Amino acid sequence: MSTRIEGGTAPGFASLADVFSAAFTGHDGMGAALSVRVAGETVADLWGGPADARDRSPWTEETTSVIFSCTKGLTSILAARLVQDGLLDYQAPVVAHWPEFAAAGKEGITVADLLAHRSGLSAPRALLSVEDVIDWDVVTGLLAAQEPLWTPGEGHAYHALTHGWLAGEVIRRVTGRTVGQYFDELIAAPLHADAWIGLPDAARHRVAHLRVGASLTAFVARQAAARPAGEVDWSERAMTLGNAFPTELVNDERGFNDPRIQAAELPGAGGIASARALAAIWSSTVAETDGVRLLNADTVADAIRPRTEGTPVFGGQPPFPRWGMGFQLPSLAREYLGPASFGHDGAGGQVAFADVTHQVGFAFLTNLMEAGDDHRATAIVDELRRILRRSAHR
């Protein structure tokens, strides 16, 4: 039985609805949404499936979802805007804004190192609890005092969650506002976007319930079986922070389904948004969108120059992502539309990005989390690429 798809597409983009509908095949209980803007205009706005598979409550145009590491893209937009406004320099030392960060030999780490996953602080040495994670000062204080896991600037590893506190504290020191407050002021409010870094109580009822799919369950089991006994797996620690999150990041009530986590400001992975909001936000980085243009062309060009690529210090399986100043760049791990695309994907299948060449803002969200070889969003991006190429040749 096929999933009923709601919403619509603009002329010339109807095939996106077909590919979006196909993404539900074989994924019982999946809810999802897709939104695409081109040159500021909406060309696809689609949703379907349940927002909560437990009671089959439907995904509607009002549904929002945890966006996981797509949040890093939003945080990186904030940093880029501060650079554009002359309030931040990527090459400046972090201690220029955050003096306490100089502890344990970190005085030479730059803002660029933080944003590009090169600071040596990809995971905490201490085991953190949920109570620690929802206390901003506790986590930023621990990271400021921590000795790096490797020589900063001489390698990289994905700062899966710590990225948000590191970049977010610099933003807080520069602006005098929390990252969630600055995000709302600069981005969400002007665009009238249903997006938050720190969910307000009044919006909690709109958030989809997350489920772990079969491929992610199997992937986590394989990783656990391959892990040497007695050794710290720093890549896993980067995701779980010790005791704060399950390895899959969610279960029925814990992790990112926990209202305490959703309400906290976690700019590495805790953003909550609708696909419609994310598409508008990313669109506004490359084209005027609903009267808003967040970044100019020079700012984008500087922010998306490659800074980090190749094998991480803790190894792993290729293909590996690439990053600019916090923005995920096209790679075999996440191809996007082409070389002028930038954004960030998120755990379980979330994808949000912009493309300079085609002036695109794109967002795909789902509450059924699958493993990294998941092709649901990839197939939609591939179809959008075909549509845009055909249009360019007419």
Side-chain angles (χ1 to χ4, degrees):
M1 185 176 184
S2 61
T3 299
R4 179 181 175 86
I5 304 301
E6 305 284 353
T9 59
F13 292 86
S15 58
L16 289 179
D18 297 331
V19 181
F20 177 69
S21 179
F24 290 81
T25 302
H27 297 290
D28 183 55
M30 167 181 152
L34 171 70
S35 188
V36 183
R37 298 254 191 154
V38 176
E41 299 300 319
T42 299
V43 299
D45 190 34
L46 303 163
W47 60 90
D52 190 336
R54 297 172 300 180
D55 61 10
R56 307 298 294 189
S57 55
W59 194 298
T60 74
E61 62 181 324
E62 300 298 320
T63 300
T64 62
S65 186
V66 176
I67 64 174
F68 293 105
S69 287
C70 296
T71 319
K72 292 182 183 70
L74 304 182
T75 304
S76 300
I77 293 171
L78 297 179
R81 179 57 178 262
L82 290 174
V83 171
Q84 179 174 297
D85 291 345
L87 299 173
L88 187 65
D89 182 342
Y90 288 134
Q91 303 309 322
V94 173
V95 297
H97 304 288
W98 184 2
E100 301 92 331
F101 190 78
K106 301 196 299 297
E107 61 277 355
I109 294 176
T110 65
V111 173
D113 291 327
L114 291 193
L115 291 169
H117 302 273
R118 306 183 71 84
S119 75
L121 298 170
S122 59
R125 292 182 181 273
L127 300 177
L128 304 186
S129 65
V130 172
E131 289 70 24
D132 294 328
V133 165
I134 63 177
D135 189 321
W136 184 271
D137 292 337
V138 166
V139 182
T140 55
L142 284 169
L143 293 173
Q146 180 173 307
E147 179 184 354
L149 301 178
W150 68 88
T151 303
E154 293 188 5
H156 74 277
Y158 186 44
H159 291 47
L161 292 167
T162 59
H163 187 277
W165 285 292
L166 295 167
E169 181 64 7
V170 171
I171 289 168
R172 189 181 75 84
R173 298 290 179 116
V174 172
T175 65
R177 297 183 286 287
T178 69
V179 68
Q181 291 168 342
Y182 184 49
F183 172 75
D184 185 66
E185 176 185 309
L186 180 73
I187 298 177
L191 283 167
H192 305 287
D194 291 330
W196 304 271
I197 301 176
L199 182 72
D201 286 343
R204 181 167 295 157
H205 68 285
R206 297 173 55 186
V207 182
H209 183 264
L210 300 162
R211 294 172 55 236
V212 177
S215 68
L216 181 55
T217 299
F219 174 78
V220 168
R222 290 195 301 272
Q223 293 292 99
R227 190 174 303 123
E231 294 184 15
V232 176
D233 184 330
W234 291 111
S235 296
E236 181 191 33
R237 177 76 63 84
M239 300 290 287
T240 65
L241 304 179
N243 300 317
F245 296 101
T247 307
E248 300 91 337
L249 296 177
V250 302
N251 59 28
D252 198 40
E253 300 294 340
R254 280 190 65 212
F256 286 89
N257 277 325
D258 186 334
R260 296 172 298 169
I261 294 295
Q262 294 181 359
E265 294 189 22
L266 304 181
I272 291 175
S274 66
R276 184 182 291 173
L278 286 182
I281 290 167
W282 284 104
S283 173
S284 70
T285 66
V286 294
E288 184 172 313
T289 301
D290 299 339
V292 176
R293 178 70 187 263
L294 289 172
L295 303 176
N296 63 40
D298 289 343
T299 299
V300 170
D302 186 35
I304 68 173
R305 284 193 294 115
R307 315 282 176 155
T308 295
E309 55 191 316
T311 305
V313 294
F314 300 122
Q317 294 296 316
F320 300 116
R322 301 163 65 238
W323 287 279
M325 289 303 184
F327 296 113
Q328 190 182 56
L329 307 179
S331 69
L332 292 178
R334 176 60 67 192
E335 293 186 349
Y336 296 128
L337 283 177
S341 296
F342 64 102
H344 217 291
D345 59 9
Q350 330 307 320
V351 177
F353 69 92
D355 184 85
V356 176
T357 301
H358 300 289
Q359 293 188 299
V360 162
F362 177 101
F364 172 84
L365 299 178
T366 177
N367 58 0
L368 182 63
M369 299 175 62
E370 298 289 3
D373 57 353
D374 169 35
H375 295 290
R376 290 171 294 174
T378 301
I380 298 168
V381 174
D382 289 346
E383 180 59 24
L384 177 60
R385 187 186 303 111
R386 284 191 286 269
I387 292 169
L388 294 171
R389 285 176 176 170
R390 286 197 301 266
S391 177
H393 288 101
R394 286 175 184 164

